[in-house]
Amino acid sequence: MTDVVKVLVVDDHAMFRRGVRAELDADPTVSVVAEAEDVETAVAAISSQRPDVVLLDVHLPGGGGVEVMRRAPGPLFLALSVSDAAEDVIGTIRGGARGYVTKTITGPELVAAIHRVATGDAVFSPRLAGFVLDAFAGAIDVASVDEDLDRLTEREREVMRLIARGYSYKEVARELFISIKTVETHMSSVLRKLQLSSRHELTRWANDRRLL
């Protein structure tokens, strides 16, 4: 593909947006036409800039990535998220995304994924493709997972997944750009809402639901 692909970067962390933009700006085959930090600014940018591909975080203020796709259909959406949980992947694809990659992706890999989505291909990080296949084959009970997670806010879900994977509070704080005190507050809320008593129980709970 020789045409330059116009890209909108949507993420609520300014530092991450700057990093993605720097990676993409280094490649002449893509052009970042705008950035957005929440649902409202994303919808406005899609309307005004007409991007070819929208790099979309799953968890955003104002309703999340799925809400952006619902309100601003038209461009091709590629989810770029820290979350690799099954329900996020499945929900985002059902919402209209053409692909889903995690934030561990390299700059060149992201450029390649953008071009593949722009030409109509579906793109997934290797581990995530299995979630999609399992979901549509009925191997994952998405409804029951969603019911449990509905008790948590989007930020609590992010904290929950990282803690369940063995991250320390300090590592979670660095990953999500929040304070250690805020991590502790979210963790207490997660345990209370899910009626769990320790991070070990949380890890078992998340593993049983294939959220890790």
Side-chain angles (χ1 to χ4, degrees):
M1 183 175 178
T2 56
D3 292 340
V4 175
V5 180
K6 296 187 296 181
V7 177
L8 167 65
V9 180
V10 183
D11 194 284
D12 60 338
H13 293 127
M15 186 180 299
F16 180 76
R17 291 198 309 273
R18 286 195 295 270
V20 170
R21 184 164 200 150
E23 291 283 354
L24 298 184
D25 282 346
D27 192 297
T29 66
V30 294
S31 173
V32 178
V33 295
E35 300 176 20
E37 62 184 3
D38 55 23
V39 171
E40 295 301 327
T41 56
V43 171
I46 289 170
S47 176
S48 64
Q49 300 297 324
R50 304 291 182 185
D52 300 310
V53 175
V54 178
L55 286 181
L56 186 65
D57 194 11
V58 174
H59 300 296
L60 292 168
V66 172
E67 180 68 8
V68 174
M69 292 186 283
R70 185 187 70 79
R71 291 178 53 185
L76 296 164
F77 292 93
L78 173 60
L80 176 61
S81 178
V82 68
S83 170
D84 59 2
E87 84 284 352
D88 280 337
V89 178
I90 296 160
T92 302
I93 298 304
R94 284 178 170 167
R98 291 293 302 169
Y100 194 118
V101 294
T102 61
K103 290 181 177 178
T104 57
I105 194 169
T106 66
E109 288 171 342
L110 182 57
V111 169
I114 289 169
H115 280 293
R116 287 182 59 191
V117 167
T119 55
D121 285 348
V123 180
F124 299 95
S125 294
R127 178 171 178 264
L128 308 187
F131 289 156
V132 177
L133 293 174
D134 286 348
F136 288 99
I140 296 177
D141 185 355
V142 179
S144 65
V145 172
D146 285 349
E147 184 178 348
D148 287 327
L149 289 172
D150 278 347
R151 305 172 197 167
L152 308 180
T153 66
E154 291 181 0
R155 180 62 85 191
E156 287 169 350
R157 294 182 192 188
E158 291 178 321
V159 170
M160 175 271 292
R161 292 188 193 101
L162 293 175
I163 291 292
R165 290 173 187 157
Y167 281 56
S168 68
Y169 285 0
K170 183 177 180 179
E171 289 169 332
V172 173
R174 184 168 60 246
E175 182 80 14
L176 300 180
F177 302 98
I178 57 179
S179 70
I180 294 175
K181 182 65 176 177
T182 300
V183 174
E184 293 172 347
T185 300
H186 285 314
M187 183 60 175
S188 296
S189 180
V190 167
L191 293 177
R192 176 175 49 79
K193 289 180 179 180
L194 298 180
Q195 298 181 336
L196 302 172
S197 60
S198 69
R199 63 186 299 159
H200 300 294
E201 286 189 4
L202 178 63
T203 299
R204 187 164 55 249
W205 179 90
N207 187 59
D208 288 345
R209 287 157 180 79
R210 298 187 65 174
L211 301 180
L212 301 182

